[in-house]
Amino acid sequence: MVENDVTDGVSPFDYDLFVIGAGSGGVRAARTAVSLGARVAVAEDRYLGGTCVNVGCVPKKLYSYAAHFHDAFEDAAGFGWHLPEVPRFDWATLRDNKIGEIKRLNDIYARLLDTAGVRLINGRAQVMDAHLVRVGEETFSAGKILVAVGGWPWVPDFPGNDLVVTSNHVFDLETFPERFLVLGGGYIAVEFASIFNGLGSDCHLIYRGDLFLRGFDRQVREFTRDEMDKKGVNLHFGTNIESIARVEGGLKVSLTNGEQLEVDAVLTATGRRPNLAGLGLDELDVELTEAGALKVNDRFETSVPSILAIGDVTGGPELTPVALAEAMHLVQQHFGDNSPRSPIDYRNIPTAVFCHPNIGTVGLSEEEAREAHGDIRVYVADFRPMKHTLSGSRERCLMKLIVDDATDRVLGAQMVGEEAGEVIQGIAIAVRAGLTKAEFDSTVGIHPTGAEEFVTMRTPTRR
Ligand code: NDP
């Protein structure tokens, strides 16, 4: 039998596992390892729950809900609702309620660790050698060290870049930005452009390429562009920020195309980098990828095998559920029965972008499928949701299925529309299971929903 890394009290180390970073991945790994008998400590120098809970997924979704009320108030009139006065948005209420909710979640994380018997150590950890970590004045030895420190927003270099905010601070702005600008064309840029637009800002999105959301299905990107444009987001493609200067009453943003805009706040959403500063791993010559992330093998071991890493710091898909899956996989391998396991399958990871309307996607885009499979059938439904027959809103919904012609397997599903993430989560099970279009077709729809389109599209739109 292969030995695992649980030491049953005979370890020469203080801990079997020392986790650096109490974000989604780190906390999950710590709790799961304890449940398998490991002695675990976690060091954290900032907030429990990491980016997702504090300055990512959770507050973003709360603000997205807040922004959706804008549309809801407008939609209501067609259904007979007359609001006594024009609804007024109060930023401080949203921000402070958010702070209360995040505090509640931080406390839950602390309790979870405490109840599990994980020792929580406050402070920035430094890895001293393959089995030694220092936090402040204290030093701890561990059989395995897990680096789960996540990423950190990266800001491009241009004059005035000290005047921008990043996603770390945008939730807590002192005053509501009536005029808001976001730089970037990824998840964070389109989500925050939609949020501030919905909350009532005059909102600009600046993206250097011809169309945002590079890597997503082209039709999804074009559809999203048109929907965001209809909702009033000012989209500027093919340009970048040249400089920002403080002027009376705001910030003057000069673009590389010669345009100038005056706004109250600028958010840079130009990607995130592994948060490795000060960890001491460079001194141990731990190998990095070309992008500067920690290089790991299928067992999440770095080039120093007792130092493990998961989540954003390894440069994989920067998504909370991926970090959670990696945490559980790692713990099973190192602290479980250690039987050989197949590596995590990173294909068909569903994802949602919470721009308005939302994007949900799983599997291949039309372009990727054409490249990989050649002959495909593409089924497209582009329609006005039933709700908007009375609301008067011009918002449309897009659904797409991409099918391999040779095997009839559904290779990808795409949606842009209300609650796209909720819909695609279910479809993702079918795509991951490798179901065929015929199996989708034999599934009875739920009527009347938008989602039933996924089982009723019969005629290919193109091949
Ligand atoms: P992304 O990597 O998704 O996007 C970065 C954007 O910044 C790209 O459009 C990129 O352009 C642009 N950019 C990069 N460098 C420059 C530059 N020098 N000047 C101008 N523009 C530049 O990063 P985000 O910050 O949006 O998000 C980070 C990650 O967090 C995402 O990749 C995602 O995995 C995760 N996330 C997930 C969410 C979700 O699941 N809903 C929500 C938010 C974040 P180009 O395309 O031309 O390279």
Side-chain angles (χ1 to χ4, degrees):
M1 192 189 124
V2 192
E3 294 273 299
N4 66 24
D5 294 319
V6 176
T7 49
D8 293 332
V10 291
S11 166
F13 302 115
D14 298 332
Y15 293 101
D16 298 316
L17 178 67
F18 193 101
V19 181
I20 306 178
S24 306
V27 168
R28 178 63 62 91
R31 293 174 55 213
T32 317
V34 164
S35 74
L36 295 179
R39 297 164 308 131
V40 183
V42 178
E44 172 59 55
D45 67 340
R46 186 164 277 262
Y47 27 53
L48 296 180
T51 300
C52 174
V53 166
N54 293 279
V55 288
C57 329
V58 173
K60 181 272 308 293
K61 191 80 192 278
L62 295 175
Y63 281 33
S64 174
Y65 284 131
H68 269 117
F69 279 98
H70 186 128
D71 286 347
F73 290 133
E74 284 185 355
D75 292 348
F79 293 93
W81 287 97
H82 296 286
L83 301 168
E85 54 180 297
V86 179
R88 192 180 56 81
F89 169 67
D90 180 42
W91 169 254
T93 303
L94 173 64
R95 185 195 56 209
D96 296 348
N97 286 347
K98 182 274 299 181
I99 290 171
E101 171 58 10
I102 303 303
K103 165 86 178 60
R104 190 181 73 85
L105 295 175
N106 294 147
D107 292 346
I108 288 176
Y109 269 72
R111 263 203 313 279
L112 284 175
L113 289 172
D114 189 45
T115 321
V118 175
R119 175 167 173 204
L120 180 62
I121 301 157
N122 292 316
R124 181 87 180 156
Q126 197 183 350
V127 183
M128 309 303 290
D129 71 29
H131 293 283
L132 211 58
V133 180
R134 187 164 72 201
V135 187
E137 296 302 305
E138 275 189 282
T139 305
F140 306 91
S141 64
K144 300 273 155 129
I145 297 166
L146 171 60
V147 182
V149 293
W152 199 252
W154 174 81
V155 179
D157 194 18
F158 53 75
N161 71 352
D162 56 318
L163 299 172
V164 307
V165 292
T166 68
S167 53
N168 280 355
H169 297 110
V170 70
F171 295 106
D172 295 305
L173 293 175
E174 194 55 38
T175 51
F176 180 69
E178 300 292 344
R179 302 163 301 171
F180 183 77
L181 183 148
V182 53
L183 174 68
Y187 281 79
I188 297 181
V190 296
E191 289 182 345
F192 278 95
S194 292
I195 286 170
F196 279 95
N197 181 61
L199 296 179
S201 300
D202 176 29
C203 186
H204 296 266
L205 181 146
I206 312 294
Y207 175 55
R208 62 184 179 180
D210 69 323
L211 184 58
F212 52 24
L213 294 170
R214 186 165 60 81
F216 284 77
D217 183 280
R218 178 90 198 177
Q219 190 176 10
V220 163
R221 297 162 70 196
E222 289 172 353
F223 190 90
T224 306
R225 172 198 64 200
D226 295 347
E227 289 301 310
M228 285 179 66
D229 181 60
K230 275 195 262 175
K231 286 184 187 292
V233 179
N234 302 290
L235 301 169
H236 308 253
F237 293 148
T239 187
N240 210 333
I241 295 184
E242 193 167 77
S243 63
I244 304 179
R246 200 183 286 285
V247 292
E248 205 186 321
L251 300 171
K252 188 173 77 185
V253 183
S254 303
L255 303 182
T256 51
N257 65 4
E259 221 181 317
Q260 289 196 327
L261 297 164
E262 219 179 287
V263 296
D264 301 310
V266 174
L267 167 70
T268 49
T270 42
R272 296 167 59 85
R273 298 282 184 273
N275 189 14
L276 291 170
L279 267 185
L281 295 175
D282 34 357
E283 268 117 83
L284 299 181
D285 283 334
V286 176
E287 213 178 316
L288 301 182
T289 65
E290 261 177 45
L294 288 179
K295 198 170 179 175
V296 290
N297 62 17
D298 288 348
R299 290 169 50 83
F300 300 101
E301 291 161 344
T302 66
S303 54
V304 178
S306 61
I307 301 179
L308 315 172
I310 50 167
D312 292 1
V313 77
T314 62
E318 295 170 60
L319 300 168
T320 294
V322 171
L324 297 178
E326 291 176 346
M328 291 183 289
H329 194 267
L330 169 145
V331 169
Q332 284 304 330
Q333 283 192 314
H334 291 270
F335 300 97
D337 61 11
N338 209 358
S339 54
R341 270 162 206 277
S342 29
I344 290 192
D345 181 359
Y346 289 93
R347 293 168 305 168
N348 294 322
I349 293 174
T351 176
V353 188
F354 295 96
C355 50
H356 298 185
N358 298 170
I359 299 171
T361 169
V362 61
L364 302 184
S365 67
E366 183 176 341
E367 296 74 33
E368 288 167 337
R370 235 177 252 295
E371 170 101 26
H373 294 262
D375 293 334
I376 57 169
R377 302 193 303 274
V378 181
Y379 297 79
V380 180
D382 175 344
F383 59 96
R384 184 186 198 190
M386 183 198 260
K387 179 174 157 191
H388 297 316
T389 55
L390 292 198
S391 76
S393 163
R394 293 190 301 134
E395 183 175 312
R396 295 185 68 79
C397 180
L398 175 77
M399 291 183 185
K400 263 182 103 165
L401 283 178
I402 294 130
V403 179
D404 180 24
D405 209 25
T407 61
D408 199 40
R409 243 189 74 203
V410 176
L411 302 170
Q414 318 278 340
M415 173 172 171
V416 187
E418 206 169 310
E419 304 292 9
E422 306 286 346
V423 175
I424 289 292
Q425 180 67 82
I427 300 287
I429 301 170
V431 173
R432 195 170 173 90
L435 298 193
T436 60
K437 178 68 167 63
E439 283 161 324
F440 273 62
D441 293 348
S442 69
T443 304
V444 175
I446 302 175
H447 187 71
T449 62
E452 68 182 315
E453 288 293 327
F454 274 121
V455 296
T456 54
M457 290 189 269
R458 291 288 184 268
T459 315
T461 308
R462 57 185 166 270
R463 285 174 179 271

